[in-house]
Amino acid sequence: MPLSVRAPVAHVVVLFFVLLIAGCATVAVSPVAVRNVDADRAEQLARDGDLDAAAAEFLSLAARSGESSSAYYALRAAEVQRDAGDFEAVVRTIRDIRRRRLQGAEPFRLDLLDAEVSLRNGDAARAVALLAMPERDLPDALRVRALELRARAEEASGNRFASARIRAVLDERLQGTDRDINRGEIVDTLAALDDGQLRTRAGELQRDDPLLPWIEQAMRRKGLAMPRDLPTLQRPVGTLMQGADRGLTREGFSAIRQVALILPLSGQVASVSQSIRDGFLAAYFNDDAGDRPEVRIYDAGRTPADMLVAYAKAVDEGAGFVVGPLQRDAVGELFRQQLPVRVLALNHPDTGEVPPAGSAEFGLLPDAEGAQAAARMLSLGITRAAVIAAESDWAERAALAFRAQFEANGGSITGEARIREADFNYKTAVLLAAGKLTDTQTGIDDGAIGAQTPSDGGVFISMRPQQARLLMPQLKLAGVNVRVFGTSHVNSGEVSPGLDRDLDGLEFCDASWLFVPVAGRPDRNEIGHYLSSASGLGARLFAFGMDAYALLPYMDWLLANPDTYLDGATGQLAADSFGRIHRVLTWARYSDGVARTVQGGLMPTYSP
């Protein structure tokens, strides 16, 4: 059996000068400058960091050289002075350079110096004009420097959105610390826009615009959420068709030879990893023997640094695909690397990086559930909603996503409230959030049972089962007789009619596999007898692990064809242009204490 387990294994200024030094190293030699011992010595002094001496040597060369060489050496002197931060000297030096004596890319280098001086002097308009040079005519190093200056010039001119867009283009050309600094500048620049501007700009962009993930980060920093483009599911993957050898093949299927599964096998999330790992292996053993890759499991350790060691080891040992890591900080760190082997990350990074080309990220996001709850309610004609959520990060994210999606598509929020873990009397929260949904403003104690409520009203909740069991009767007692919708967190994953009868009428979204058989996956009831990780709250993670395995041979196809989808255990899975796997969830409703799928709440399963 090909299965083995491995043992544990001054921002803008900084960025700018790093770019400048890198740029100078590639453009220092002029086609007209006569190389001599003095010129070589000046360049060596610059490389050694003795910038004052290097500038003096270049100025001396300029004074005793012919016209073309003189202009070139003066330009080099000014660039070295700029590296030293002596902009007064730069002004004096470039003032005497005659542009017509420069050749090749040298006039552009002079313009870049002049634009930087203009920015320092507060003349953003002049800088913008100087930087309006054709990008195709610039060497790569100058192109990076020109983009950074353009971004600064646009921001200084008050056009923050244009500045952020330029930095998004620049991001693709940077690596390491330079890229991290630039990414911070993108989010800072966008976050400085007011909320209305951000929403308007986001709404004007195409769904594959590279600036959208950065706007999403900026809005999250401001405590806001961006409405989502929910997947459009048109074609299932795996359609049987005739291959080149006249045999049958599955559309979109691409076999993988060796897979590395990288999870934290110890520490606080070890139990989460166990459920995911067990689900992954269950799907592996349920697969056709001829299609199975070799699977090796690695411990991601406790830190992002440990994870990088595990990734490198997996690559060295022949992995053709890596699944993991799990923790958000580790995912973000991995996405900042140059990846020799592509990845299906099992979470989304806090910092918002999108996966490198060919890789993807997949997670059980509360934000996605909140957005789909909004879409579901609107599709049922519910245009006014109250929001009641637990005081937790995941519940807050779901609530923010619900509001953004609901309001962006014509709905209105009548009120919001948050409930604490220790609370049991939700009277205040109910009145605060849902009081305006009813025709008559009534309280829990005034006997308003049966008050008439308009059919266009509803309640969205995001909380644990224990809290939902307390809330539902109190909503009815307060006369809030409307339909209630929630996220998967209200579902304990167990069939407990005695406990869950108070949840009757509550509709929620969750993983398909918890309710119905999914083609190509083991039956939940059967496997739950043998593996505790497939039951209770772990069942959702178990399904997540199964889907991580099922996605691998179809990853390339899904990324290239956004209208296609894979029937998964956690939902129907589709990819967007940024490499994010989205889930379309199943809807269920409690009746007599048991959750059952509702009509129109489940897409038909498909067997590839």
Side-chain angles (χ1 to χ4, degrees), residues 439-456:
D439 285 339
T440 56
Q441 303 273 329
T442 56
I444 291 178
D445 296 329
D446 60 11
I449 298 175
Q452 296 299 309
T453 304
S455 61
D456 66 344

Side-chain angles (χ1 to χ4, degrees), residues 421-593:
E421 188 71 31
D423 290 346
F424 61 91
N425 185 340
Y426 300 151
K427 172 182 177 180
T428 301
V430 168
L431 290 177
L432 180 64
K436 293 182 180 179
L437 283 178
T438 58
D439 285 339
T440 56
Q441 303 273 329
T442 56
I444 291 178
D445 296 329
D446 60 11
I449 298 175
Q452 296 299 309
T453 304
S455 61
D456 66 344
V459 175
F460 168 74
I461 68 174
S462 185
M463 58 189 64
R464 297 296 186 194
Q466 300 89 331
Q467 295 171 308
R469 291 170 187 144
L470 290 171
L471 176 65
M472 289 294 288
Q474 294 185 45
L475 283 171
K476 295 175 183 176
L477 188 60
V480 183
N481 298 308
V482 298
R483 296 178 69 172
V484 183
F485 299 80
T487 59
S488 64
H489 306 89
V490 302
N491 179 21
S492 68
E494 300 284 4
V495 178
S496 305
L499 288 174
D500 291 335
R501 203 159 268 114
D502 283 335
L503 298 178
D504 281 0
L506 170 60
E507 205 169 301
F508 64 97
C509 53
D510 211 333
S512 314
W513 187 70
L514 302 187
F515 309 105
V516 295
V518 176
R521 313 293 190 278
D523 181 80
R524 183 199 175 192
N525 294 326
E526 181 179 345
I527 201 168
H529 290 304
Y530 303 102
L531 291 174
S532 60
S533 56
S535 303
L537 294 176
R540 202 171 289 114
L541 295 167
F542 190 94
F544 181 53
M546 289 195 293
D547 280 354
Y549 177 83
L551 278 167
L552 296 178
Y554 293 104
M555 276 277 298
D556 289 343
W557 185 258
L558 290 168
L559 290 171
N561 298 274
D563 62 333
T564 61
Y565 67 93
L566 171 72
D567 263 319
T570 61
Q572 284 152 324
L573 311 177
D576 65 19
S577 60
F578 303 113
R580 295 169 172 173
I581 304 297
H582 297 273
R583 301 185 300 141
V584 176
L585 298 159
T586 293
W587 284 91
R589 183 187 301 122
Y590 279 101
S591 177
D592 294 327

